[in-house]
Amino acid sequence: MKEKIIAKATQLFLKLGFKSVTMDDIANEMCISKKTIYKYFCNKEILVAESTYIMTNTIYSTINEIVAKNHNAIQENFEIVKMIKEMFVSIETSPSYQLKKHYPEIHEKLTEKLQLECNSLFKQNIEKGINEGLYRNNINVESYVYFYYALIFTINENISSEKEAKKLELEALEYHIRAMATTKGISELNNYLNSNQS
């Protein structure tokens, strides 16, 4: 039952927003009593925390599946951004923006976890791109990891529209790749962009 409550709550949080969904809404959607929810979660904040934790783990397990497909470093980046966009396609307000505004403590803990995960992922991708000859081998990897993380999370925390945030994320990714790319990398990037124009 606990997993079912988290699943339904996550669905509603993403569709309607963390702030606007009440425990009553979740109970009504599941046709259960509010008392049943409180048996597992003593307040909404704990439910929001568990929901975001599980959501984040789902994202990272999906990212690991993409990485395992062994795309080149540039395509891998775009496949990850595409996957995240598809996961949040029906959302109007950025989840990160909402958490920062309404649940700052949960947002802070989640950000610490995300920073570790993302920095590891970005570093791995840059090193892969250097080995493939797509990124320059004279770049400071740690600096570029920091630059890209700062760009992505500034977008997500300050842009309320999820659609606008995802558009800017895609532009930030192109900017990030162009800053690192070799001539071969620029050619690969342009080929990818030309073949994936919507």
Side-chain angles (χ1 to χ4, degrees), residues 9-194:
T10 303
Q11 184 187 352
L12 291 172
F13 290 149
L14 291 178
K15 185 179 177 184
L16 304 169
F18 291 106
K19 182 73 174 172
S20 57
V21 173
T22 65
M23 295 297 232
D24 282 315
D25 294 331
I26 299 164
N28 290 339
E29 279 283 323
M30 296 186 71
C31 300
I32 60 174
S33 71
K34 197 159 65 168
K35 190 178 175 183
T36 304
I37 297 177
Y38 282 114
K39 181 179 166 188
Y40 298 98
F41 306 96
C42 61
N43 60 46
K44 183 182 163 187
E45 193 158 327
I46 290 172
L47 181 52
V48 169
E50 290 214 28
S51 170
T52 52
Y53 182 81
I54 287 173
M55 198 190 321
T56 306
N57 285 345
T58 302
I59 290 169
Y60 281 105
S61 66
T62 311
I63 286 172
N64 288 334
E65 287 171 20
I66 291 170
V67 171
K69 289 180 179 176
N70 215 21
H71 297 294
N72 71 49
I74 290 173
Q75 188 176 359
E76 179 180 279
N77 271 325
F78 281 101
E79 290 298 317
I80 289 168
V81 169
K82 182 180 167 189
M83 174 276 294
I84 293 172
K85 183 181 176 184
E86 285 169 359
M87 282 179 84
F88 297 105
V89 73
S90 61
I91 300 166
E92 289 184 14
T93 308
S94 161
S96 182
Y97 178 89
Q98 289 180 53
L99 282 176
K100 186 181 180 184
K101 186 175 179 182
H102 303 297
Y103 297 96
E105 286 182 15
I106 294 172
H107 176 266
E108 193 177 329
K109 283 183 184 174
L110 190 65
T111 300
E112 286 172 16
K113 177 178 164 59
L114 284 172
Q115 187 167 7
L116 286 172
E117 296 277 3
C118 287
N119 286 354
S120 171
L121 177 71
F122 298 161
K123 184 179 180 185
Q124 182 183 313
N125 179 268
I126 293 171
E127 289 171 346
K128 179 179 184 179
I130 290 170
N131 290 332
E132 292 171 338
L134 297 173
Y135 303 153
R136 291 178 288 112
N137 63 9
N138 62 342
I139 62 175
N140 184 322
V141 175
E142 298 296 333
S143 294
Y144 277 75
V145 166
Y146 175 80
F147 297 153
Y148 188 47
Y149 178 86
L151 262 178
I152 292 299
F153 281 86
T154 298
I155 290 167
N156 277 286
E157 291 179 357
N158 295 288
I159 306 292
S160 63
S161 162
E162 179 67 5
K163 187 178 178 183
E164 182 64 20
K166 289 292 163 266
K167 179 177 175 287
L168 285 171
E169 268 187 48
L170 205 55
E171 290 173 4
L173 174 57
E174 183 180 344
Y175 176 83
H176 172 63
I177 292 170
R178 286 191 187 280
M180 300 187 295
T182 58
T183 305
K184 180 184 173 185
I186 292 290
S187 176
E188 176 63 29
L189 173 64
N190 289 335
N191 287 339
Y192 184 87
L193 293 173
N194 290 334

